[in-house]
Amino acid sequence: MQSLTNLSDEQLIVLYQQGNAHAISILINRYKDKIYTSICVLVKDKHLAEDFFQDTFFKIIDTISLGKYKEEGKFLPWGIMIARNLCMDHFRKIKRTPAIKTSEGMDIFDCLNFSEAGADDCIIRRQTEGEVAKILESLPEDQREVVVMRHYANMSFKEIAAVTNCSINTSLGRMRYALINLRKLMSEKQLAL
């Protein structure tokens, strides 16, 4: 019998619908880091991100359990779209813009999963991450969102377009303007990353 970890997303979903609870845990583990990172960048609060992360997977599991999941694309963009919609609904309700710091006052990029290196590399990485976070924060929200999905969630522009409900050309344009703005800001701050 083939190992469950080698199965495609669609095969795992079918197995889960047939009663194999382990199949959904493999699917969740496969994408948890990318979905969590996307949520962290949107909400900028570790505790809130954890809540949205759980809500996202509850919604995913409920949708699959009820047989309402339709394989129209890939599982990851669908999951990120659910997470994004939950975040946007939350911010519409409270009508505020999230801050760049977590509730503990830590930089949002501290919750990203980076491998540890030497002490000097860690110091340089933290400084660089802090500068990148400041620069990203100054971008318009739609540009920042595309940069995060492309570079932190490794999504294609087609997937980004599906999640943000816009055309591929719009996603590409937002990325182009984001890069132009990032270069301009780096030049103004005399940063070399």
Side-chain angles (χ1 to χ4, degrees):
M1 182 172 170
Q2 186 180 21
S3 172
L4 290 180
T5 56
N6 296 328
L7 295 177
S8 70
D9 298 345
E10 295 79 25
Q11 292 169 320
L12 289 171
I13 289 168
V14 169
L15 280 176
Y16 176 69
Q17 288 172 330
Q18 294 172 349
N20 187 334
H22 188 60
I24 197 71
S25 64
I26 290 174
L27 193 60
I28 290 170
N29 284 327
R30 187 176 287 174
Y31 296 112
K32 68 181 180 181
D33 291 338
K34 291 182 179 184
I35 292 175
Y36 180 74
T37 300
S38 298
I39 294 169
C40 277
V41 172
L42 286 171
V43 300
K44 299 173 176 65
D45 180 311
K46 183 179 178 182
H47 299 293
L48 191 57
E50 290 170 0
D51 290 342
F52 284 131
F53 179 73
Q54 289 179 356
D55 291 346
T56 298
F57 277 101
F58 286 140
K59 189 164 181 94
I60 287 171
I61 291 168
D62 287 345
T63 303
I64 293 171
S65 296
L66 296 171
K68 293 182 179 180
Y69 175 73
K70 294 180 179 33
E71 182 56 40
E72 295 174 357
K74 294 183 180 177
F75 178 81
L76 178 61
W78 177 68
I80 289 178
M81 183 179 66
I82 289 172
R84 180 181 178 270
N85 289 343
L86 287 171
C87 295
M88 293 300 118
D89 288 346
H90 171 75
F91 290 122
R92 279 188 203 110
K93 286 178 186 173
I94 61 172
K95 294 182 182 177
R96 70 170 176 85
T97 304
I100 191 71
K101 299 289 183 182
T102 64
S103 61
E104 292 111 7
M106 296 174 58
D107 192 298
I108 190 69
F109 288 93
D110 288 343
C111 58
L112 298 177
N113 188 14
F114 294 102
S115 60
E116 291 299 320
D120 56 341
D121 290 335
C122 289
I123 292 169
I124 292 169
R125 189 189 77 231
R126 282 190 196 113
Q127 289 173 341
T128 303
E129 290 169 8
E131 293 301 323
V132 169
K134 289 175 190 172
I135 292 172
L136 280 175
E137 177 62 21
S138 62
L139 289 177
E141 183 178 344
D142 57 346
Q143 292 176 18
R144 182 175 57 243
E145 188 175 50
V146 171
V147 170
V148 167
M149 288 183 189
R150 180 74 175 142
H151 290 287
Y152 293 100
N154 297 320
M155 294 174 66
S156 70
F157 286 105
K158 182 178 181 180
E159 293 169 332
I160 293 169
V163 169
T164 58
N165 198 25
C166 67
S167 70
I168 294 173
N169 287 337
T170 300
S171 294
L172 289 167
R174 288 176 181 168
M175 178 60 87
R176 179 177 176 270
Y177 287 117
L179 293 175
I180 290 169
N181 288 333
L182 287 172
R183 285 186 195 110
K184 180 180 171 188
L185 291 166
M186 287 175 59
S187 176
E188 288 173 2
K189 296 182 181 207
Q190 298 177 349
L191 292 177
L193 302 178

